[in-house]
Amino acid sequence: MQTQFYNIVKGKAGKYLMTIWLIAAVYFATAKLTIETLILSPTDVIFLPTAGIAQAALLLFGGQYWPGIALGAVFANLLSPTGSMATGILYSLSVTLQVCLGTWLLKQINFSDRLQRLKDVLGLIILAAGISTLIGSGFSTVHVSMVLSDWTKFDEIWTRYWLANAIGILVVTPLLLTWGMRLQDRYKRQDTTEHSILATIGQLWQNYRQTSTPEHSEHTLTEQATQLLYSLEALAWLLLSLALNWFVFCSRTRTASIRYPLEYLPYPLIVWASLRFGQRGAAIAHFLTAMFAVWGLMRDSGPFIDRSTDIPQIFSLQAFIGVMIITGLVLASTVAERQQAEAALRDSEASLAHAQGIAQVGHWDLVIRGSHLYWSDQLYRILNLEPQSVPATLELFLQSVHPEDQNLVRQSVEQVLYHQHPYTIDYRLVLSDGRQRFVCEQTVISPTRISGTVQDITERKRSEIALRASEERFSKTFAASPIGIGICTFSDECFLDVNESFLRQLGWKQNQVINATTQQLKLWVNPEEHLQLREVLQQHCQVSNLEIQVYNQASEIRNWLISIELIDLGGTECLLMMGNDITERKQASLLRNAKEAAEAANRAKSLFLANMSHELRTPLNAILGYSELLREDAQDMGLEEFVGDLKNIHVAGHHLLDLINDILDFSKIEAGRMNFHLETYTVATLLWEVETTIAPLAEKNTNTFKIEVADNIDIIHTDITKVRQSLLNLLSNACKFTEQGLVTLKVSTETSPDPTTELPTVPPPDLPHSTHQRDSQITDFPYAPEANTKPITYVIFQVIDTGIGMSPRQITTVFNPFTQADESTTRKYGGTGLGLTITRKLCELMGGELSVTSKLGQGSTFIMRLPQFLYYAQEE
């Protein structure tokens, strides 16, 4: 049972009931004191503090506690000599209705119990003290009139009771509200748990340690000194107020000796309390003054006693108290509002200063009348000056403006001063340390002043410049890129922008692609590959160097190498697609691979032919030798029927050997295995050898062969074997394709017009000896010198015939391998078609050249141009 009772008491219901009984008890005790002291007679009531207690109770605790007021009023009415249960109930009802009405009216104006606003004070005076008291005063007047059985003084009695109720509310309610709110604030901050107590002690100790540090000591001492002075001031006021109120209202000596109206002396103290101590101080001042005034009246010593009749002047006392309290409350609330406004202004200025510091915005104000200019601290900082270090002037500001922007700023200022046109401009500042800053200035105009803001936008400006440069670079890159670039949404792949390369590769026009989807353009060849691509993009946000097949505008399949990246474009998920058409490149790669395979096969063929030609030549030489021996033996033995056949075998073998030699030489040239053996040789000897070989061939077709040699030709330093082979190839062709004509060999020299440092060279021969032994074998010809200062001399061999000649088309193919003029030529004259090819290659390898001029049916001229002195190339 005890536990249940304890739980009930500690619960909400228990607290509610205890509060109701506490209110009833306080109301009853106050009512008893009022009846004994403040009610002089049924018609003479000084003031009723019970009305103030009842009103304060409901405002502090809430309207749900009205039963406490009702119970207190019932019990208080029983103390009255004329009281009864019926009148007690009616009196309780009137009091409860009065405070409930007052509470409801105050809640309608959003009343604050702290009385910090003029609206709250006026609401308490008018609504609670002025209007709601009409109920209680009306019931009390009716009750007194009924008890006295005299209705002639109804209005006088009603006025006294109405003023008594109003004064009771004005004296008691502000005191209870202001100090009750202070106690409530402390109660809310207080925590009775052990943990909170320990935490509070720990916090106090931490605060003590912080304030004991040097950086906090000076600030702490200042606060302590201020608090001490404030306490001394409050104590001085209280002592002075007690003394003065006693002297004015309660001193019988003063009453007997002084006839001046000194009741107004407490007013300065009330003003002092209102200005310095707020509503709580004003409420105490009102209460003390009212109590002393009432006490003086009760002991017949106050200024409100008529000395001629010794009759208390209750109405004058009520008027004095009312005017005093109203004045004090209004003044205190006005001061509180001003202090709150000043505090809010300081907070606003501090917040503005912080905001300006964060946003790097300074402001200035120019008062038009008087031309007073003000700069904020942040504006000084923007100008790299200490705040308020120098007077704010336009000329000082213009000194910090960039010289190129001073005219713009000056013209803008003149525009706003003389034409009342606000402006917004961007310009540059040059600070005292040489730094350059970008600022944006804006102005507004009012009838009395011109205000402006100056914001440091250096970082934003630099970012804008960098962004514009980046956008310009991207735009130029986007437009001029040889790679096709397209931007489309990720959801439906609708193209937002494409460059010219993208359109050129696919054959579309821009108006056909923009706002069209890839599905509408039928871009993707393989839908499954496209879906896999989207899955990869969702997982990794990018794809690089992926080969994919797409359709162009003509529905042709093209191979694309694409890279795609998932980007955010204005809150929309988009794809940045970069593609390059590699169809031709892929085909070229296939052709290049085929070409490399063909060249490899050709090299293998050349190597095979070189090896096979060598292997074939060895047994063929044996066949030629044995056929020659057999032919001689047949002639000696008189077997003429075998001589002709053996001669044919020998001739056919020689022809086959020539073919094999040509193939062997061509194969060596193609395989890069041709060796050169340089030696010094007389041109006359060379020509005699050539003439000895060619003369029988010329006579065979009834041709005339002659040689024309210039006088200045002596020797030639070259691979004489290859020169001889080349001349024999040209002359044998001339004799073969000429019948009953003339074949001429002209030899001359020619010198290049300008000296050159690049001498004609060939690779040294591959010898199976050391470098020293190899050099000893080549004693008649040095390696090429590092530099040459003399012109190069060339020997010109011209082979001229009067044979069948060639057409222009035949000339273009005459040096191609395995090629002759036409099929009829091959059938008629035979041959492999390698002679001219080998001759030209040999000439080029020896630093010379071979050319031809010919007319069909008139003959041909082959010109072989070789350096007179050929060198071995220096080895690295």
Side-chain angles (χ1 to χ4, degrees), residues 395-437:
E395 294 302 323
L396 176 62
F397 186 83
L398 289 175
Q399 290 177 7
S400 300
V401 178
H402 195 282
E404 297 179 1
D405 298 335
Q406 284 187 1
N407 288 335
L408 171 64
V409 176
R410 194 180 296 274
Q411 291 173 3
S412 300
V413 171
E414 291 176 354
Q415 176 183 353
V416 75
L417 288 176
Y418 303 120
H419 303 287
Q420 301 293 303
H421 289 164
Y423 62 85
T424 300
I425 57 174
D426 294 349
Y427 54 91
R428 293 163 293 175
L429 296 177
V430 179
L431 306 184
S432 57
D433 56 3
R435 290 181 301 157
Q436 189 176 114
R437 311 295 291 177

Side-chain angles (χ1 to χ4, degrees), residues 728-749:
L728 291 177
N729 281 338
L730 295 176
L731 290 170
S732 63
N733 281 343
C735 294
K736 182 167 61 175
F737 293 108
T738 303
E739 294 182 359
Q740 299 179 357
L742 176 64
V743 176
T744 305
L745 174 61
K746 290 183 178 182
V747 183
S748 61
T749 60

